[in-house]
Amino acid sequence: MRITVLDGHALNPGDLSWSPISSLGDFLVFDRTPPQLVANLIGNSEIILLNKIKIDESVLSICPNLRYIGVLATGYNVVDTKACRAHGVTVTNIPSYSTDAVAQHVFAFILNWTNRVSIHCEDVKNGGWVKNPDFCYWKEPLYELSGKTLGIFGFGNIGQKVAKIAKAFGMNVIAKVHNEKSFLGEEIESVSLEELFSRSDFLSLNAPLTDETEKIVNEKTISLMKHGAYIVNTARGGLVDENAIRFALDSSKIAGYATDVLVHEPMDADNPLLRAKNCVITPHIAWAAKETRARLIEIAAGNIRAFLDGKARNVVN
């Protein structure tokens, strides 16, 4: 059984072991695969694993041995699942592996704004405290989270974890859910989309990218927001209109935008957010804690074992 990983570097640049997967067959890893070489590197593999590599009819039609595609992520939009079904290829994903890490990243962004740790640390190292006549000082206003309202768009596993952390900080939590029958838990209020934008001091985006959610943050919805509110995006770049975000930052309509994801990744040199004021960008690392990546490898191995045993799990097609 040939198992090939087409873009393994992001998941495992060398600090983890592939052994949970490599023990299952004839194993080969490519750090990266150029689009024009996808079919060639798949070769006669029955099983392939990938993250951002696109698989469509043009690839499937010339890889007749392929029987299984394991997406090393929760989102699987890179794979044409209908074409895979037509070719008898099973497609699986990795659900719920990064919940804790992504929720943690949401609050790394939020606390960066409220406590301004990096700004004050830098000033202290530049001699600001040495020169100051007082025992304390602050370069920018500091804020408590207690009593502030956090709005959550997308109330799946990650959204629920974000809500739990927010409640621990004493925040008021409101959420827009897809299914109005969803259980929100105690003291979490289900609101309309308009209320979500208009009432949030901090808005956390935790929804998948779909036709319905694409550019849900746009000029119109931003106009509903409080002057000086903040937006956090650890979901998908396509949830926002990046030009509208840039305008809202430049006009100070919103006080800050923090994102781990962009519409195009890697980042385009002309991305409107690159030099926007009060914009914090990290390179899609919310999921990348070492423990999280190790968990992903274990789940991926379990998915393959289940498939080989004729009991495929986490199937998305």
Side-chain angles (χ1 to χ4, degrees):
M1 179 70 64
R2 168 66 66 84
I3 303 172
T4 299
V5 182
L6 295 177
D7 54 348
H9 186 268
L11 171 58
N12 183 10
D15 60 343
L16 297 172
S17 172
W18 287 109
S19 60
I21 298 173
S22 63
S23 62
L24 300 175
D26 181 13
F27 185 69
L28 185 62
V29 179
F30 296 100
D31 284 344
R32 302 169 187 87
T33 294
Q36 66 273 19
L37 295 181
V38 170
N40 288 341
L41 297 189
I42 291 174
N44 61 357
S45 302
E46 291 96 342
I47 293 174
I48 62 170
L49 303 176
L50 54 87
N51 193 318
K52 300 300 182 186
I53 303 299
K54 293 184 178 181
I55 302 294
D56 56 19
E57 176 64 31
S58 66
V59 173
L60 295 167
S61 63
I62 55 177
C63 295
N65 287 347
L66 191 59
R67 290 291 173 264
Y68 176 96
I69 298 173
V71 181
L72 299 171
T74 302
Y76 52 89
N77 56 295
V78 294
V79 177
D80 185 335
T81 54
K82 291 182 179 179
C84 287
R85 186 164 59 247
H87 283 268
V89 177
T90 297
V91 183
T92 67
N93 73 338
I94 313 287
S96 305
Y97 74 96
S98 63
T99 299
D100 289 343
V102 176
Q104 178 177 311
H105 205 76
V106 170
F107 280 89
F109 280 145
I110 291 175
L111 293 171
N112 179 64
W113 285 321
T114 59
N115 292 65
R116 304 293 187 183
V117 172
S118 59
I119 290 173
H120 289 93
C121 178
E122 182 179 2
D123 192 74
V124 167
K125 290 185 175 182
N126 288 335
W129 207 0
V130 172
K131 300 171 186 176
N132 200 284
D134 300 310
F135 77 95
C136 76
Y137 67 99
W138 48 93
K139 303 291 290 183
E140 296 187 22
L142 309 175
Y143 300 98
E144 290 184 350
L145 284 178
S146 181
K148 301 296 190 300
T149 297
L150 174 69
I152 301 175
F153 181 73
F155 208 70
N157 291 327
I158 294 173
Q160 291 173 42
K161 185 69 174 186
V162 169
K164 184 177 181 179
I165 297 171
K167 296 303 292 185
F169 275 110
M171 302 184 77
N172 303 313
V173 180
I174 60 178
K176 176 67 177 74
V177 297
H178 178 68
N179 183 354
E180 292 301 326
K181 295 181 180 179
S182 297
F183 177 68
L184 296 182
E186 295 181 2
E187 300 180 356
I188 299 174
E189 184 182 356
S190 176
V191 298
S192 67
L193 186 68
E194 291 74 18
E195 287 182 284
L196 185 78
F197 279 88
S198 63
R199 291 173 54 186
S200 296
D201 296 304
F202 298 88
L203 175 63
S204 179
L205 306 178
N206 302 109
L209 179 61
T210 66
D211 291 340
E212 292 180 350
T213 62
E214 185 175 10
K215 293 188 179 180
I216 196 71
V217 181
N218 52 55
E219 183 178 355
K220 180 180 179 180
T221 52
I222 291 173
S223 72
L224 301 173
M225 300 187 75
K226 297 177 181 179
H227 186 83
Y230 297 87
I231 301 173
V232 175
N233 188 1
T234 56
R236 287 292 182 264
L239 293 176
V240 310
D241 180 334
E242 291 177 342
N243 287 304
I245 290 285
R246 174 63 185 265
F247 182 80
L249 289 168
D250 288 347
S251 64
S252 298
K253 170 62 178 176
I254 59 174
Y257 177 62
T259 186
D260 188 52
V261 287
L262 297 172
V263 173
H264 296 121
E265 298 172 353
M267 188 179 202
D268 293 333
D270 60 352
N271 186 292
L273 300 177
L274 184 57
R275 291 176 178 80
K277 69 175 185 178
N278 300 325
C279 184
V280 179
I281 304 172
T282 53
H284 207 137
I285 57 171
W287 69 285
K290 187 173 183 178
E291 298 89 342
T292 308
R293 291 182 290 114
R295 185 181 305 119
L296 190 158
I297 289 176
E298 290 287 351
I299 296 171
N303 284 350
I304 295 172
R305 285 195 297 270
F307 170 75
L308 295 176
D309 290 340
K311 301 175 181 179
R313 68 182 194 185
N314 296 323
V315 177
V316 297
N317 71 328

